[in-house]
Amino acid sequence: MAAALAEIADPDAAVQFRRFFKTGPGEYGAGDVFLGVRVPESRAVAKRFAALPLDQVDALLDSPTHEERFVGLVILNTQFARASGARGFDADARARIVESYLAAVRRGRVNNWDLVDVSAENIVGPWLLDRPRDLLFELARADSLWERRVALLSSFAFIKAGDASTTFALAQRLLDDRRDLIQKALGWMLREVGKRVDRGLLIGFLDEHAAELGRTALSYATEHLTPAERAHYRAATR
């Protein structure tokens, strides 16, 4: 699999990706290694290796190379979906995939926004649809920026199922988190509640909490409101 990615690597793109994903000293992606493989190409490689054994996927998730971790996560998505699908529900396979994913998260291997965003809503979210969601609140309390983002993005699966309650509960816990990538995820999930579940629920949340939200989160959350509504809520920020 590594050889398949190396064959299509683009050194010029790798330089761009290192800047885009903030890999400089002190930045959130500090020290990450890029080959320069674009997302569609990475997904094509993941499709070729979709049946890779889980221990080999785990090895990909521990790779120092960003694109290898990305491909590993896309493979986990595919395997989780197949284990959940109409062709046969495999509870044991689902549990093993979730365990593998959460272990990688806690080892700090799902460690950039694209890695979180491509995986959390497709693995943790569906896994918890019919289960207690204490795990997400544990992740939301973690010191790791990426674990907190996993918590928020996992709730996207619930939003798509018409349930905003977990997103709102997580949002209240993370209102004061001013890390930019948490602000963006928080505002994004709130916006999706308004779009996919109930605009009135979003309005009610904003009426109560707009003054506590950071400007970035509020900007994202209100994107699809009217100009007058956006101005109203932005005037409320402290």
Side-chain angles (χ1 to χ4, degrees):
M1 206 289 304
L5 285 173
E7 286 177 4
I8 53 177
D10 180 344
D12 292 334
V15 172
Q16 297 172 17
F17 293 167
R18 286 196 295 271
R19 289 197 298 266
F20 184 71
F21 287 102
K22 307 295 184 185
T23 64
E27 294 182 309
Y28 59 71
D32 207 353
V33 176
F34 283 85
L35 293 171
V37 181
R38 292 172 174 80
V39 168
E41 296 168 322
S42 292
R43 287 187 176 277
V45 171
K47 186 174 182 179
R48 286 171 54 194
F49 292 89
L52 200 68
L54 194 55
D55 61 337
Q56 294 182 42
V57 179
D58 286 341
L60 285 179
L61 298 180
D62 277 330
S63 170
T65 302
H66 187 100
E67 290 93 339
E68 291 185 13
R69 299 197 303 281
F70 183 93
V71 167
L73 293 168
V74 174
I75 292 171
L76 282 189
N77 287 348
T78 300
Q79 293 185 0
F80 188 87
R82 287 178 177 173
S84 309
R87 294 183 180 179
F89 187 91
D90 189 334
D92 290 341
R94 280 165 48 100
R96 289 193 297 272
I97 291 164
V98 171
E99 181 180 3
S100 175
Y101 177 72
L102 290 173
V105 169
R106 288 168 171 149
R107 290 196 307 273
R109 307 314 296 153
V110 185
N111 57 348
N112 214 308
W113 59 264
D114 64 320
L115 303 180
V116 173
D117 297 2
V118 78
S119 57
E121 67 169 290
N122 297 311
I123 299 173
V124 179
W127 170 255
L128 294 178
L129 277 173
D130 58 354
R131 289 177 169 80
R133 297 169 185 178
D134 298 356
L135 167 65
L136 298 189
F137 297 94
E138 174 191 330
L139 292 169
R141 292 191 297 269
D143 291 336
S144 165
L145 158 69
W146 307 117
E147 290 182 44
R148 301 198 302 276
R149 190 169 172 110
V150 166
L152 282 168
L153 265 293
S154 295
S155 79
F156 203 176
F158 314 145
I159 294 170
K160 291 176 179 178
D163 176 10
S165 61
T166 301
T167 301
F168 283 156
L170 290 167
Q172 289 183 59
R173 290 176 181 264
L174 293 168
L175 283 171
D176 294 327
D177 192 326
R178 292 299 188 258
R179 290 295 297 268
D180 185 60
L181 290 175
I182 298 300
Q183 286 278 298
K184 290 177 178 177
L186 175 55
W188 174 17
M189 291 301 100
L190 291 174
R191 181 189 70 206
E192 294 301 320
V193 167
K195 288 173 58 181
R196 297 170 182 264
V197 182
D198 188 324
R199 187 176 182 277
L201 288 176
L202 173 61
I203 293 295
F205 184 89
L206 293 174
D207 285 344
E208 185 173 355
H209 296 292
E212 301 167 80
L213 286 167
R215 288 187 175 275
T216 298
L218 191 62
S219 178
Y220 274 60
T222 58
E223 277 183 358
H224 294 283
L225 301 185
T226 67
E229 287 169 327
R230 291 198 301 271
H232 168 72
Y233 290 119
R234 290 171 187 177
T237 57
R238 61 191 178 194

